[in-house]
Amino acid sequence: MVNFETDPCSFSDITKIRTKSIHFDWNVDFSLKQVRGSAELTCDVLEESLCAFILDTRELDVQKVLIDGKKMKFSFGEAGQNGKTEALGKPLIIDLPDEPPRKGEDLIVKIFYNTTEKCSALQWLNKEQTAGGKHPYMFSQCEAIHARSLFPCQDSPGVKFRYTAKVSVAASLVALMSANLQDEKTERTDIINRFYFSQNIPISSYLVAIACGKLESRKIGPRSRVWSEKELVEKAAFEFSQTEEFIMTGESLLGPYVWGKYDILVLPPSFPYGGMENPCLTFVSPALLAGDKSLAYVVAHEIAHSWTGNLVTNVNWEHFWLNEGHTRFVERKIVEKIYDKPTAELLAIIGWTGKVHSFMVKVVFFDFNKEHDYTKLVIQNDGFVDPDESFSRIPYEKGFALLYHLQSLLGVSKFEAYIEKFSYGALDTQEWKDFLFEHFSASEKDNAILNTVDWDGWFNGTGMPPVPKPQFDTSLQDVCTALAKKWRAGYATPSANDISSFNSAQLKEFLDQLVADSSFSPDQIQQMSVIYKRISESQNSEVRFRWIRLGLQSRFKPAIDDAFAMFTEQVN
Ligand code: BES
Ligand code: ZN
């Protein structure tokens, strides 16, 4: 069983009181860069005679706390309490009434507060930082532990609640949330727009999301719209036209999509991730707008989270691989069904090798720092480490590798039972493993197979997985390797045909192989830039940054301007 006593990243004792719904009443104030208003938490009381309720907060300005309409005393603990990282913020300690609610009763706590400039969940952009240049913009990013800087909460993924919200913004702007809009309630006046939202499926705090700007939308499927500033909306509608296909493939693998709509919001360039699976409204980076749908697989990934992550959730951030490893696995299943198996396998190879140079990856992949604690699948975190610090591609790729390995031992994976069993809940790695054994308990053969797996090596070992590299289909990689070899040997007769059949994963792989070898002359890169226009003119940011790296490394002067151009576009 999960030890609910502590989520090492939360100050709240979720064994005593558990939030089951929240109502937000928010004003988005661009002049002060504040969200101001209240959060009313309705909670289950699980123990008698409680005298305090502790919530997570970070840099929030709390004015007043009401229980049953009565003002209650409250205080803050210390940041960095018990040596924990300051990223956890401060516990908000609310006194409970002399006659506290009894076990089984509801506790309703309304907190009046505002966010402050140091709120780590929100980015406030002035109008110059937007595509349109005329209106300001704000958006949130709560995963992993930033929700506490947007509203006081039990900021642990193991706690799930429904939410409703009333959001007031300036009349020129639109607000969106990770929820369904109750359109019939929208109020519009000359100075203010008021939007009402409702999320009827219980979600973890890290999935609460808001964005506010001069936004428009286009329908891209029966349950989907794409949102962005008007400058990008057509391009975005084209880029993400496969959305319904992805959702239906997800449904065929994992069961019905239960969230109602699936919309996508394309954010300004400072959005810090490729994608974020906010329920009903995936957030994506504008860097995905490659013009040829070649980065749409990121949307497949976020759609997969609709089951793995958003319905079935890691109980705390030590078990983050349950969210991301499963989602990576499902993402590649979707890629396999919609594109083809060799492409999915090439992506798996790239993942295994770890040529994943995301600038978010602080701990470089398996081949380096093999001893580092963050290369473990299950990360031990006693609250001393900010999950943003331990973040890397390892839970994605090592998690994927474990699931791929199990699939190769047990035959085609069946996910429905897992999703069904843990939907609307949260679990840890031990429960995941117990479920696996239980699920295959009918067959002695399967059981024997499961008993041969080096579980401790997988979960707690550092570095590479405790199995040899799987026999992936290398057909798409082989042609990249052959071409890279020709270039290394001073290729005399290159032609555009060399790469005309390459997909974007192959272009990436080919460039990765060249980047790994720094012996090219500026002339060779010049020649490549003329002949391989598919590479040198690619708008796919994954291809583009590799091309720039290769150029810089080879002292190819135009790469400097390209690098500046990409940098200013992305960092704007
Ligand atoms: N949930 C993650 C993003 C995330 C993880 C945000 C941890 C904050 C903390 C999202 O689903 C994700 O994995 N995005 C990837 C894209 C994906 C295709 C691997 C990204 O943004 O790189
Ligand atoms: Zn993910």
Side-chain angles (χ1 to χ4, degrees):
M1 255 318 268
V2 173
N3 174 10
F4 273 125
E5 239 138 80
T6 48
D7 172 339
C9 287
S10 170
F11 290 110
S12 195
D13 188 341
I14 61 185
T15 61
K16 299 198 166 88
I17 298 177
R18 290 193 142 230
T19 311
K20 58 182 180 188
S21 68
I22 304 186
H23 177 70
F24 301 110
D25 184 346
W26 283 344
N27 282 297
V28 179
D29 182 338
F30 279 96
S31 62
L32 293 173
K33 299 190 173 168
Q34 284 180 359
V35 169
R36 216 174 27 249
S38 61
E40 185 175 75
L41 284 62
T42 301
C43 311
D44 275 328
V45 175
L46 307 172
E47 235 177 61
E48 295 289 336
S49 315
L50 297 171
C51 51
F53 181 29
I54 299 181
L55 292 170
D56 295 300
T57 68
R58 182 174 179 180
E59 305 289 353
L60 291 180
D61 191 1
V62 175
Q63 286 99 37
K64 188 167 72 175
V65 179
L66 299 183
I67 294 179
D68 291 331
K70 288 198 201 81
K71 270 197 185 178
M72 301 308 299
K73 272 198 195 151
F74 63 88
S75 61
F76 285 99
E78 290 298 308
Q81 201 163 310
N82 306 332
K84 294 205 173 196
T85 168
E86 304 228 333
L88 300 189
K90 293 179 189 171
L92 169 64
I93 305 153
I94 301 170
D95 284 4
L96 292 179
D98 293 340
E99 266 189 47
R102 319 227 18 196
K103 189 171 164 184
E105 284 178 1
D106 280 358
L107 169 68
I108 303 177
V109 182
K110 186 166 185 178
I111 300 145
F112 293 80
Y113 73 101
N114 57 262
T115 62
T116 63
E117 220 168 318
K118 289 188 182 153
C119 165
S120 57
L122 296 179
Q123 276 195 41
W124 298 86
L125 307 183
N126 51 37
K127 49 187 199 287
E128 293 76 20
Q129 292 169 297
T130 65
K134 292 198 184 114
H135 300 273
Y137 200 111
M138 73 83 106
F139 64 86
S140 66
Q141 169 57 47
C142 286
E143 191 178 12
I145 59 167
H146 300 285
R148 64 192 66 184
S149 76
L150 181 57
F151 56 102
C153 58
Q154 297 186 293
D155 199 5
S156 170
V159 178
K160 294 196 174 186
F161 53 85
R162 298 181 168 82
Y163 80 81
T164 52
K166 170 176 142 190
V167 181
S168 306
V169 302
S172 51
L173 304 178
V174 169
L176 299 174
M177 288 193 79
S178 53
N180 286 294
L181 173 72
Q182 298 172 290
D183 211 5
E184 70 291 351
K185 290 191 178 174
T186 303
E187 300 162 26
R188 292 175 191 272
T189 72
D190 288 347
I191 31 176
I192 231 173
N193 282 341
R194 204 163 270 146
F195 300 97
Y196 292 82
F197 300 95
S198 149
Q199 179 49 269
N200 284 320
I201 295 180
I203 58 159
S204 311
S205 52
Y206 76 90
L207 293 173
V208 172
I210 180 167
C212 185
K214 182 78 179 157
L215 299 169
E216 288 196 3
S217 69
R218 289 278 178 287
K219 199 170 166 65
I220 52 166
R223 44 191 152 179
S224 303
R225 307 189 73 84
V226 66
W227 293 85
S228 71
E229 289 186 78
K230 89 167 174 293
E231 289 73 11
L232 299 178
V233 81
E234 290 304 334
K235 198 170 183 202
F238 172 79
E239 206 76 38
F240 304 127
S241 66
Q242 295 151 300
T243 297
E244 178 61 20
E245 243 185 303
F246 291 153
I247 304 172
M248 280 171 17
T249 311
E251 289 186 306
S252 74
L253 293 164
L254 304 159
Y257 178 81
V258 297
W259 302 88
K261 68 172 186 185
Y262 177 85
D263 285 0
I264 299 172
L265 171 64
V266 182
L267 286 118
S270 61
F271 180 65
Y273 292 95
M276 175 65 212
E277 66 273 27
N278 297 317
C280 306
L281 181 68
T282 282
F283 283 21
V284 298
S285 163
L288 303 192
L289 301 175
D292 60 1
K293 308 186 190 185
S294 56
L295 293 170
Y297 73 91
V298 175
V299 169
H301 176 97
E302 306 314 332
I303 287 172
H305 273 304
S306 306
W307 293 268
T308 51
N310 297 4
L311 277 183
V312 177
T313 311
N314 49 217
V315 75
N316 66 43
W317 301 110
E318 297 182 329
H319 305 281
F320 182 55
W321 82 272
L322 291 173
N323 274 16
E324 295 302 342
H326 285 83
T327 301
R328 210 24 149 190
F329 190 76
V330 175
E331 168 202 331
R332 288 185 182 147
K333 290 256 174 219
I334 297 176
V335 166
E336 180 179 327
K337 291 215 175 181
I338 296 204
Y339 306 99
D340 51 61
K341 184 151 186 180
T343 302
E345 294 274 292
L346 174 57
L347 292 169
I349 295 171
I350 295 175
W352 179 276
T353 319
K355 289 174 189 152
V356 186
H357 294 288
S358 152
F359 51 81
M360 293 179 288
V361 181
K362 300 197 194 70
V363 183
V364 189
F365 220 56
F366 300 148
D367 348 30
F368 308 90
N369 291 326
K370 284 199 181 86
E371 315 298 321
H372 201 292
D373 274 349
Y374 300 163
T375 66
K376 294 177 179 172
L377 197 56
V378 181
I379 292 184
Q380 302 289 313
N381 178 359
D382 288 319
F384 304 122
V385 184
D386 178 354
D388 285 348
E389 286 299 315
S390 55
F391 180 83
S392 80
R393 283 291 183 236
I394 287 163
Y396 294 71
E397 295 302 342
K398 213 174 187 177
F400 171 85
L402 171 55
L403 297 171
Y404 193 94
H405 179 63
L406 291 173
Q407 175 179 256
S408 73
L409 295 177
L410 296 163
V412 174
S413 53
K414 282 242 187 297
F415 268 107
E416 288 97 328
Y418 171 63
I419 300 295
E420 217 170 288
K421 164 130 187 181
F422 293 104
S423 272
Y424 311 103
L427 77 166
D428 66 9
T429 302
Q430 184 60 45
E431 284 175 294
W432 173 85
K433 185 183 155 199
D434 291 348
F435 172 78
L436 194 69
F437 272 80
E438 192 188 300
H439 187 70
F440 288 100
S441 60
S443 148
E444 249 174 62
K445 183 172 142 271
D446 289 343
N447 238 284
I449 290 174
L450 283 175
N451 277 312
T452 64
V453 173
D454 176 6
W455 297 104
D456 187 51
W458 276 102
F459 295 152
N460 306 313
T462 58
M464 291 298 277
V467 292
K469 183 173 175 180
Q471 302 276 308
F472 294 118
D473 173 345
T474 60
S475 55
L476 294 186
Q477 186 186 37
D478 292 343
V479 285
C480 302
T481 310
L483 185 61
K485 200 169 156 197
K486 284 189 190 167
W487 278 94
R488 254 183 250 115
Y491 195 13
T493 54
S495 98
N497 282 338
D498 295 346
I499 58 164
S500 56
S501 69
F502 280 18
N503 62 29
S504 64
Q506 285 176 293
L507 297 179
K508 268 161 70 170
E509 171 63 17
F510 172 59
L511 288 170
D512 271 339
Q513 292 197 21
L514 297 183
V515 168
D517 177 342
S518 54
S519 59
F520 298 98
S521 69
D523 285 348
Q524 276 178 300
I525 304 300
Q526 166 67 29
Q527 190 189 19
M528 217 181 266
S529 84
V530 175
I531 295 169
Y532 293 167
K533 288 237 176 347
R534 276 194 70 209
I535 291 179
S536 60
E537 289 175 7
S538 174
Q539 290 303 304
N540 176 318
S541 44
E542 295 276 349
V543 172
R544 193 172 165 204
F545 91 79
R546 285 171 171 82
W547 167 245
I548 291 171
R549 276 189 68 177
L550 176 65
L552 291 176
Q553 195 166 285
S554 315
R555 304 188 174 276
F556 174 58
K557 285 228 173 73
I560 299 174
D561 284 345
D562 275 2
F564 272 112
M566 184 164 184
F567 179 76
T568 39
E569 279 165 38
Q570 307 282 322
V571 177
N572 189 12

